[in-house]
Amino acid sequence: MAFVLAAVDPADPQTPTVMGQSGGALGYSAKNFTSTGLSHGYLGIGLDVFGNFSNKYEGTGCTDPANIAQVMPGEVVVRGPGNGTVGYCALQSSAPTATAQKLILRAATRTASRYPSRWFSIRPRHR
């Protein structure tokens, strides 16, 4: 599941017309350098049971944080702005390290489903 925000092109303020790629891109990001992501994407938050939103489904110009290195099931991943085949870079993950144990997103009972919240901050990276 993904929550996404998009802006409009200031030169042509129309509703974004291009959705991001299906599958692991969760309708937000580009899957590679040739497929496009959500038009004027601003922020994408993926609640990803399978872990593909943390994979390299992004455009050009990205350097992933150290705690996002591969397919990471059961994590919440935040991706930054992008347009076309540029951007959609991973900003942060709920995983403290790239090899951390996945979050348990469901259980057999309500009590077993409880999980303490982990807060993380998104810090802008200067290029």
Side-chain angles (χ1 to χ4, degrees), residues 48 50-57 64-73 75 77 79 90 93 95 97-101:
D48 195 358
F50 296 105
N52 286 324
F53 201 59
S54 60
N55 207 352
K56 289 288 185 183
Y57 291 148
D64 292 337
N67 66 328
I68 301 175
Q70 71 265 340
V71 174
M72 298 172 63
E75 298 298 337
V77 176
R79 291 192 170 278
S93 169
T97 67
T99 57
Q101 193 173 38

Side-chain angles (χ1 to χ4, degrees), residues 81-115:
N83 191 40
T85 59
V86 178
Y88 311 100
C89 304
L91 299 177
Q92 192 54 274
S93 169
S94 58
T97 67
T99 57
Q101 193 173 38
K102 70 179 183 177
L103 298 174
I104 297 174
L105 300 176
R106 62 182 164 185
T109 67
R110 182 178 177 150
T111 303
S113 298
R114 294 181 182 181
Y115 192 83

Side-chain angles (χ1 to χ4, degrees), residues 1-5 26 28 43-47 53:
M1 177 174 24
F3 298 96
V4 301
L5 298 173
L26 299 180
Y28 180 69
L43 188 71
I45 301 169
L47 308 167
F53 201 59

Side-chain angles (χ1 to χ4, degrees), residues 33-51:
F33 305 132
T34 59
S35 63
T36 59
L38 176 67
S39 298
H40 304 287
Y42 185 71
L43 188 71
I45 301 169
L47 308 167
D48 195 358
V49 173
F50 296 105

